């Protein structure tokens, strides 16, 4: 039996075992397999391992998307996590190349994926509070929000959780250095049913630009941490 003789349900099941790129390659072989590739039900789960992957035309966004993760663990993440006021020209140029990539993608998710249940972002140093706020507003069924090493996330995101995260069950804000203990306590007070984890976040040094004297103190404290 040729693969194209299988019914739609079987083909969807076979496609589900392939990664995004393999699905796209197989879809190029004939119209029937292309239709399977374009079936929204095939795209309920999406995992990305770098911002570059978000630009590849090998996936579909739609109401069927339930689980999304963008986890960037490259050494290049360290450049994005440097405080903006401390970056040199080379570092700024590097960040400018992809500064809006993840944010623009998440805005598309806001518009196309209202049934999202779980979002994980790790190493996404340019994602802002405003972006997370829109996601919480546009994805009212979101149950799990995990943010790790997202340095621009502040207590504004925690406030948005208390206002719009009515379905939220799990919230992680690990290694987000601009989160404060006050913000965490507010979430615990307003959303007692939410499982909250904030490893290191409230104990890390925030991005507020200090005076010259405090800059030296901050640098020495970071050396001690290393």
């Amino acid at each position: 039996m040729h693969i194209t003789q299988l019914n739609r349900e079987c083909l969807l099941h076979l496609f589900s075992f392939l990664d995004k790129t393999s699905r796209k390659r197989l879809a190029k072989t004939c119209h029937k397999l292309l239709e399977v590739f374009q079936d929204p039900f095939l795209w309920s789960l999406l995992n990305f391992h770098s911002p570059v992957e978000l630009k590849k035309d090998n996936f579909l966004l739609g109401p069927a998307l339930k689980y999304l993760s963008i986890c960037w663990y490259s050494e290049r993440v360290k450049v994005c996590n440097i405080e903006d006021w401390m970056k040199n020209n080379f570092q700024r140029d590097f960040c400018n190349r992809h500064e809006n990539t993840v944010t623009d993608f998440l805005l598309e998710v806001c518009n196309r994926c209202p049934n999202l249940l779980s979002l994980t972002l790790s190493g996404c140093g340019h994602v802002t509070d405003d972006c997370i706020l829109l996601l919480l507003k546009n994805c009212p069924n979101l149950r799990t929000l995990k943010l790790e090493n997202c340095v621009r996330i502040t207590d504004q995101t925690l406030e948005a959780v208390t206002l719009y995260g009515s379905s939220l069950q799990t919230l992680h804000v690990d290694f987000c250095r601009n989160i404060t203990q006050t913000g965490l306590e507010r979430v615990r007070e307003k959303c007692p049913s939410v499982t909250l984890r904030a490893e290191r976040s409230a104990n890390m040094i925030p991005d507020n630009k200090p005076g010259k004297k405090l800059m030296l103190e901050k640098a020495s404290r970071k050396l001690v941490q290393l």
Side-chain angles (χ1 to χ4, degrees), residues 116-183:
L116 190 68
L117 298 178
S118 176
L119 173 65
T120 299
L121 301 177
S122 180
C124 299
H126 300 295
V127 172
T128 63
D129 296 314
D130 290 340
C131 186
I132 301 300
L133 170 62
L134 284 175
L135 271 164
L136 289 168
K137 284 184 174 181
N138 289 278
C139 303
N141 300 318
L142 193 68
R143 298 176 187 171
T144 300
L145 177 61
K146 296 182 179 180
L147 306 174
E148 179 187 37
N149 207 12
C150 297
V151 296
R152 293 192 181 183
I153 296 302
T154 72
D155 286 359
Q156 291 183 38
T157 285
L158 301 183
E159 182 65 22
V161 165
T162 66
L163 296 174
Y164 305 106
S166 58
S167 299
L168 212 60
Q169 299 174 358
T170 300
L171 174 64
H172 292 180
V173 283
D174 298 331
F175 299 92
C176 298
R177 64 174 178 249
N178 290 302
I179 293 291
T180 71
Q181 193 63 46
T182 300

